[in-house]
Amino acid sequence: MEFKKNPELAEKPNHLHYPICRGRLDAIKATSQDIMTYTMVTSVILALLSLVQAPIHVVGWIPLMYTDISESRMLGNSGAIIQALICIVPFVMGALGYGNRKFFHVILFFYYMLMFGFSIFIRLSAFDIISVFIGGIGLVKTYPILSAYPDFKQLRNTEGYPMFIETYQPQPYKTKYGQAAAARYDQLKKQQMQQNSSAQQNKPLSQQTQPFAGPERRKRAFDRFAERKAGTVDVDILGNSTAGEVPADKSSALNSMPGLSVSVSAPVAAPDRFCPPRNKDNCIKDSGIKLR
């Protein structure tokens, strides 16, 4: 059976049909869940009425064929059991229609329509008022499935079914399905951002961004360099500590070289602890070893 296709659910390039298809599929699922819940509850109510031998329209047609209620207005024991068992059929149809078999929910629409109509025009018992309400509310609950069923058949043959992963920015659709899809997309995007933020906070410190970067890191490096510079001395080419000054003795040609000095950045661990190399006759302070 071929249904007229909904142009809003047609496939579009770059998966632009995903948001509206996702919104329509969620709407159909919500409708099916509503029908299933309502049918299961009403089936239990009708089964309980059957146990007290109350005749009910539609589900009681088979036992009514073999029961005379012209005087008693009640079913017999066998008729009550049969009617209670028949109440299981709508219960099962509601469960099956929640999945991919939406045709069972279409059948439930006609089931409630018959119950509502016969409860108004044909009187069986005082319990007819209950079947009137059950049939009338059931019509309202199942009416949306008449338009949802062909859309569902189209969606099953559409690229991306059944997930329609919402990784693309939804288009500004003006239909209620498109608006629902856009709202759902924003909600999922917000949840994803919160999950990413939580994952970033739970990372170890070594995997997170370094706390000192850019100017702050350069400033800390300069401060460490200044600290090391504060504990350095200047040594000339002959090993004398001159602190950057030219030696006073300029008799040798080597000492007469202008500005010949070398700056060695080495911390002075023990100043005045050792003697210069050319004063070899002196000894290391606090030591009995002689240098030769």
Side-chain angles (χ1 to χ4, degrees):
M1 184 177 181
E2 186 68 22
F3 296 95
K4 183 179 179 181
K5 294 186 176 181
N6 189 344
E8 296 181 353
L9 304 179
E11 295 183 7
K12 299 177 180 61
N14 298 327
H15 309 287
L16 294 178
H17 62 283
Y18 276 14
I20 191 171
C21 289
R22 179 76 256 179
R24 181 54 173 153
L25 190 62
D26 289 343
I28 295 174
K29 183 178 180 181
T31 301
S32 295
Q33 185 175 4
D34 197 17
I35 294 174
M36 179 189 67
T37 304
Y38 179 78
T39 302
M40 289 182 174
V41 173
T42 55
S43 296
V44 172
I45 294 175
L46 294 177
L48 293 176
L49 292 177
S50 300
L51 295 179
V52 297
Q53 301 183 4
I56 305 296
H57 290 282
V58 184
V59 295
W61 282 354
I62 294 179
L64 286 174
M65 294 172 61
Y66 304 97
T67 304
D68 184 11
I69 61 171
S70 58
E71 296 180 359
S72 62
R73 297 289 180 179
M74 301 294 286
L75 295 173
N77 292 331
S78 60
I81 295 175
I82 294 174
Q83 181 173 285
L85 293 176
I86 295 176
C87 291
I88 300 177
V89 176
F91 187 97
V92 175
M93 293 174 65
L96 293 175
Y98 181 72
N100 294 330
R101 301 175 178 86
K102 303 299 181 185
F103 181 72
F104 288 104
H105 284 180
V106 178
I107 297 177
L108 288 177
F109 169 78
F110 294 101
Y111 161 73
Y112 288 117
M113 183 178 65
L114 293 175
M115 181 179 291
F116 179 73
F118 279 94
S119 298
I120 291 178
F121 297 106
I122 298 178
R123 177 177 172 79
L124 290 177
S125 65
F127 295 96
D128 290 346
I129 187 65
I130 298 177
S131 59
V132 168
F133 280 105
I134 291 178
I137 298 174
L139 281 176
V140 176
K141 296 286 187 180
T142 56
Y143 178 76
I145 201 64
L146 297 181
S147 59
Y149 178 63
D151 288 348
F152 182 76
K153 297 287 288 185
Q154 180 180 351
L155 288 172
R156 292 191 64 181
N157 298 322
T158 303
E159 186 270 329
Y161 177 86
M163 299 303 297
F164 294 112
I165 301 175
E166 301 171 36
T167 57
Y168 303 94
Q169 181 66 31
Q171 301 299 316
Y173 296 105
K174 296 182 180 180
T175 61
K176 58 182 180 180
Y177 309 124
Q179 294 174 358
R184 179 178 175 82
Y185 177 85
D186 295 338
Q187 181 181 4
L188 292 178
K189 187 175 180 181
K190 183 178 180 181
Q191 293 177 357
Q192 185 178 7
M193 293 177 62
Q194 292 177 353
Q195 293 175 359
N196 294 338
S197 178
S198 300
Q200 182 66 22
Q201 293 178 358
N202 294 332
K203 281 185 178 180
L205 183 62
S206 59
Q207 299 180 2
Q208 297 182 6
T209 305
Q210 294 294 334
F212 303 104
E216 183 65 21
R217 180 180 294 179
R218 290 193 295 269
K219 182 178 181 300
R220 289 172 59 86
F222 179 79
D223 293 340
R224 289 195 297 269
F225 173 77
E227 292 175 358
R228 292 196 300 266
K229 186 66 176 175
T232 61
V233 294
D234 294 338
V235 181
D236 64 5
I237 195 66
L238 297 179
N240 295 321
S241 176
T242 59
E245 298 179 358
V246 180
D249 184 11
K250 298 183 181 180
S251 59
S252 64
L254 182 61
N255 289 337
S256 63
M257 297 178 64
L260 183 59
S261 62
V262 179
S263 177
V264 179
S265 297
V268 182
D272 299 330
R273 192 69 173 177
F274 299 97
C275 300
R278 59 184 178 181
N279 297 328
K280 293 189 297 183
D281 295 336
N282 296 330
C283 62
I284 300 176
K285 295 182 179 181
D286 300 332
S287 176
I289 301 175
K290 297 291 185 175
L291 293 180
R292 295 183 180 179

